[in-house]
Amino acid sequence: MKKLKKITKILFTLTCILLTIILPIDGNAYTISHRNGYYPLNAYVRGSAYFSYETERALHNSCLAWNNACDSGDLVYRDTNVTYVSEHPKSDGVNSVTKQTWGDYEDIAQTYYTSKNSTTIYEADIALNVSHPYGTAQTSYDTQTVLTHEIGHLLGLGDSYTQSECMYHLIYKGEKKGIGSGDKTAINIIY
Amino acid sequence: MKKTILIVLSVFLCIAAVGVIGYIHNNTDNAESNKITTTIVSDRIENTDKKVMGVSGLMPYRSESEMILYSDIIICGHVSEIKESKWSNPDYVRGGNVRNILQTDIVVDIDNKMYGDTDSKSVVVRINKGEDENTIFCDENTPDFTLNENVLLFLARDDSDVKTDEDYYVLVAKKQSKYVLPDNEAMTSAYSYDNQTIDLTSLQQRIIDEKTANPNFKQELEIEHQRIKENNALLFGE
């Protein structure tokens, strides 16, 4: 009986160790594309001068969402200056957010970054492809969800393959998403 | 006593076996699903002296029906040539509003035309991805192609800012619209994390059904574009 108790105890301990190792590995929840993230912090994202108040607010809220998700402090702010540049991408030291007309077969939005290696982002330009319908209606792509995803890229995150995460690589019309648990884990790994 | 020990041991071994199998499976999926990101952060790119231009984007979900409707041609074929990458707008000679990105033409020999108005034996598929002597341009959502790869592709004429008068097609939904052919019976999506498959035998009929049910799709799309333009102007300016 004593022997059985001892074996059970050992097995219980081993199971606990195994679970401790395996449980936190949620391979499909997030990916990190640039392990050093954005440098230097804080990042500022500058919207186009032609954006509506609603779009600027969406940009602000997207930054706020990432700041709230990061345990070590703020990461990114909406730049109160605006850009009149429509060229994309433009290497000018400004993280600009512009609208582009790229047609039906391109992404809803894209983030471009250039670097000498792929560990740190120094500048990233975000383009919103306005060939697709934006807005808050069920027949449109939610501006804030799109911007939150793209700012996630600016901060060094890759695409996620878990639909509940905002870094999920696909978006459906009418879908509204904030930061998911995998997104939060990833951002706190980088920063 | 021995029996009880054996039962306890068996239960533990079963749990451990399931755990190990699950762990291996999870990490296999992970390796597959992280493939594109891994490409971007691969050692080759991290250690390169070349300038790396990376693109990460958000794709609109496209159902099979939508991909059929958007397509000008749908083909099964094999990759016969991968051409040298070229810049889309070197020195911005085409103006500041046309992206200057590296593009690569993929020549696909047609084995089976599923839909479309083409008598050509091959088509050129242009992808926004490539490499030259100084730069690597990666797009997370654009699939890679390899020589002799058997593929099913949903293709359309380019409607983007970088389009030219050359005779080529683009994928209608980036990596969602490229399937690879593992055997002659079923198509397995290159999009392996959701294991989408396309049954070729019934695809032809589904194409006919979709195209017949929506004969004016492209014209309706033009009207929709006008509505989108007006709505988006309110959000992003003219």
Side-chain angles (χ1 to χ4, degrees):
Chain A
M1 197 62 193
K2 247 186 177 177
K3 206 174 176 186
L4 177 67
K5 266 188 180 173
K6 202 177 173 186
I7 289 171
T8 313
K9 223 177 183 179
I10 293 167
L11 291 181
F12 179 74
T13 315
L14 279 173
T15 311
C16 286
I17 293 168
L18 254 174
L19 286 175
T20 314
I21 296 166
I22 291 172
L23 277 183
I25 300 169
D26 187 359
N28 293 328
Y30 60 84
T31 53
I32 291 166
S33 65
H34 294 75
R35 60 171 173 263
N36 294 335
Y38 185 92
Y39 182 84
L41 290 178
N42 296 311
Y44 284 84
V45 282
R46 186 179 295 182
S48 161
Y50 309 106
F51 283 178
S52 67
Y53 169 74
E54 196 182 342
T55 304
E56 285 292 341
R57 194 179 54 186
L59 187 58
H60 171 79
N61 287 341
S62 301
C63 296
L64 201 63
W66 284 111
N67 292 339
N68 289 338
C70 183
D71 297 334
S72 61
D74 288 355
L75 302 171
V76 57
Y77 297 117
R78 179 182 72 89
D79 193 336
T80 48
N81 295 311
V82 289
T83 180
Y84 291 89
V85 168
S86 59
E87 188 184 310
H88 172 89
K90 189 171 175 63
S91 185
D92 56 0
V94 174
N95 303 312
S96 58
V97 185
T98 57
K99 66 155 192 167
Q100 304 293 329
T101 310
W102 287 345
D104 292 322
Y105 313 123
E106 265 290 6
D107 294 335
I108 301 283
Q110 283 186 348
T111 303
Y112 274 78
Y113 31 75
T114 57
S115 57
K116 271 283 180 192
N117 57 48
S118 281
T119 59
T120 310
I121 296 173
Y122 299 100
E123 184 188 334
D125 291 328
I126 296 170
L128 306 172
N129 180 8
V130 296
S131 300
H132 297 288
Y134 276 87
T136 49
Q138 285 300 307
T139 51
S140 308
Y141 298 103
D142 182 52
T143 313
Q144 191 174 317
T145 303
V146 173
L147 283 168
T148 308
H149 178 98
E150 296 309 323
I151 291 170
H153 284 313
L154 178 145
L155 293 171
L157 300 190
D159 279 334
S160 160
Y161 297 90
T162 303
Q163 206 187 329
S164 56
E165 309 295 340
C166 86
M167 292 313 292
Y168 188 60
H169 62 129
L170 296 173
I171 185 168
Y172 297 77
K173 282 180 179 168
E175 188 178 37
K176 292 183 175 71
K177 269 190 293 195
I179 311 277
S181 58
D183 302 320
K184 192 173 172 166
T185 306
I187 206 73
N188 283 297
I189 286 172
I190 301 177
Y191 300 99
Chain B
M1 182 67 179
K2 261 187 182 172
K3 204 177 170 187
T4 321
I5 294 171
L6 264 175
I7 290 168
V8 172
L9 262 176
S10 307
V11 169
F12 175 75
L13 284 174
C14 282
I15 293 169
V18 169
V20 168
I21 290 166
Y23 177 79
I24 291 166
H25 184 256
N26 185 40
N27 280 286
T28 309
D29 277 359
N30 189 28
E32 198 62 46
S33 62
N34 286 354
K35 205 171 157 188
I36 303 297
T37 305
T38 311
T39 306
I40 289 176
V41 297
S42 69
D43 287 345
R44 187 175 69 85
I45 291 177
E46 284 201 0
N47 298 326
T48 185
D49 287 332
K50 292 183 180 183
K51 178 182 175 185
V52 177
M53 290 176 74
V55 177
S56 297
L58 182 56
M59 285 187 294
Y61 167 76
R62 295 281 187 231
S63 65
E64 184 193 281
S65 302
E66 285 175 307
M67 288 202 293
I68 289 171
L69 291 172
Y70 276 109
S71 294
D72 293 321
I73 59 166
I74 300 168
I75 57 156
C76 292
H78 59 276
V79 177
S80 60
E81 189 184 352
I82 297 173
K83 296 199 170 181
E84 266 187 31
S85 304
K86 287 186 294 190
W87 289 95
S88 58
N89 188 12
D91 302 323
Y92 286 93
V93 288
R94 296 169 64 193
N97 287 330
V98 177
R99 280 172 293 169
N100 187 25
I101 53 178
L102 269 171
Q103 297 182 299
T104 307
D105 284 347
I106 313 294
V107 183
V108 180
D109 289 352
I110 302 173
D111 298 323
N112 181 10
K113 186 181 80 177
M114 308 295 287
Y115 172 79
D117 191 18
T118 179
D119 294 323
S120 305
K121 288 181 177 166
S122 63
V123 291
V124 173
V125 181
R126 185 163 292 175
I127 57 168
N128 295 344
K129 196 171 208 174
E131 182 171 353
D132 70 2
E133 63 273 22
N134 301 316
T135 311
I136 298 172
F137 181 80
C138 342
D139 179 350
E140 207 173 351
N141 293 331
T142 297
D144 287 312
F145 287 83
T146 51
L147 271 180
N148 300 318
E149 188 178 31
N150 286 307
V151 288
L152 162 65
L153 302 172
F154 295 81
L155 302 167
R157 290 293 184 188
D158 193 357
D159 68 342
S160 74
D161 56 320
V162 290
K163 72 179 171 197
T164 69
D165 293 334
E166 293 160 281
D167 187 15
Y168 70 95
Y169 292 90
V170 294
L171 293 160
V172 296
K174 299 185 114 175
K175 61 185 178 183
Q176 296 174 87
S177 46
K178 179 201 169 192
Y179 288 73
V180 293
L181 182 67
D183 53 51
N184 293 326
E185 295 299 318
M187 298 294 253
T188 302
S189 170
Y191 222 34
S192 57
Y193 42 79
D194 54 6
N195 292 318
Q196 283 188 63
T197 56
I198 283 189
D199 175 14
L200 265 190
T201 52
S202 58
L203 177 62
Q204 193 91 59
Q205 190 55 48
R206 291 201 301 281
I207 293 170
I208 293 167
D209 292 347
E210 286 295 345
K211 295 287 189 188
T212 310
N214 301 279
N216 302 317
F217 179 76
K218 293 270 178 174
Q219 290 92 317
E220 287 163 9
L221 202 58
E222 284 306 313
I223 299 166
E224 177 68 359
H225 281 154
Q226 193 51 41
R227 190 191 65 79
I228 291 169
K229 194 177 172 185
E230 286 164 13
N231 280 357
N232 282 344
L234 299 173
L235 293 170
F236 306 109
E238 293 289 345

